[in-house]
Amino acid sequence: MKKNYEIGFPAHCSEGHSDMIHDAVCWFLARYNMQSTGHAEGRVHRETIHITLNASNYKTLKCFGQCYEWDHSDDVDYVIDVAIDQSIRDILATVFHECVHLWQWERGTWKGEGEREASQLQYELADEYWKCGNV
């Protein structure tokens, strides 16, 4: 059963970067058919997953991006941090790289560091997103 993902907007960056990062995560969830639309699925209670997005710079993060689970109480949430002091294409690739990790956790298919699949898909997804006219 699909889940309901609630995605926040990252703060501490321009509105353009914030909207782009948020929209890219929403696009990814739709692209991989993860998000519950509520249409034709009846009134079945769906698990809500909260995704917190953070924008920072490389110097602060000490990496271009990271995704991690944040377990508290009964909720399973995810945090995605993205360094925004890189090109637009690289920001998008980073967002999608981290979204692949989220997808790996949700599918239960995380293997090792999970990097092989994420690295393989990050620019492919960024370019697909771009070619769809989203940038």
Side-chain angles (χ1 to χ4, degrees), residues 103-117:
W103 185 47
Q104 291 168 331
W105 268 313
E106 289 292 290
R107 290 182 304 166
T109 61
W110 187 284
K111 294 179 182 170
E113 293 179 354
E115 290 301 314
R116 185 176 195 177
E117 184 176 32

Side-chain angles (χ1 to χ4, degrees), residues 65-67 80-82 93-103:
Q66 57 188 0
C67 177
I80 296 175
D81 298 329
V82 179
T94 300
V95 169
F96 293 129
H97 181 106
E98 303 313 331
C99 283
V100 169
H101 289 317
L102 181 142
W103 185 47

Side-chain angles (χ1 to χ4, degrees), residues 2-135:
K2 295 179 190 175
K3 298 175 183 175
N4 179 40
Y5 292 88
E6 291 185 0
I7 304 104
F9 284 84
H12 310 297
C13 62
S14 71
E15 185 176 336
H17 277 107
S18 180
D19 289 346
M20 179 185 67
I21 293 167
H22 177 270
D23 293 349
V25 173
C26 292
W27 179 87
F28 180 91
L29 294 172
R31 165 78 169 70
Y32 283 90
N33 201 26
M34 295 171 66
Q35 180 69 282
S36 171
T37 62
H39 300 4
E41 295 178 21
R43 294 189 174 262
V44 178
H45 174 69
R46 296 196 175 15
E47 181 180 2
T48 297
I49 305 294
H50 301 276
I51 301 172
T52 300
L53 300 175
N54 296 314
S56 192
N57 59 47
Y58 183 87
K59 186 176 181 178
T60 301
L61 290 175
K62 297 181 178 51
C63 62
F64 289 110
Q66 57 188 0
C67 177
Y68 50 94
E69 290 180 296
W70 183 2
D71 293 334
H72 58 89
S73 66
D74 295 330
D75 295 332
V76 176
D77 293 318
Y78 297 97
V79 177
I80 296 175
D81 298 329
V82 179
I84 57 171
D85 53 341
Q86 51 183 331
S87 73
I88 297 298
R89 184 172 182 250
D90 289 338
I91 291 171
L92 289 170
T94 300
V95 169
F96 293 129
H97 181 106
E98 303 313 331
C99 283
V100 169
H101 289 317
L102 181 142
W103 185 47
Q104 291 168 331
W105 268 313
E106 289 292 290
R107 290 182 304 166
T109 61
W110 187 284
K111 294 179 182 170
E113 293 179 354
E115 290 301 314
R116 185 176 195 177
E117 184 176 32
S119 294
Q120 181 180 358
L121 291 173
Q122 65 185 21
Y123 281 102
E124 184 179 312
L125 290 167
D127 293 343
E128 180 182 340
Y129 181 79
W130 197 297
K131 288 176 185 174
C132 289
N134 294 307
V135 177

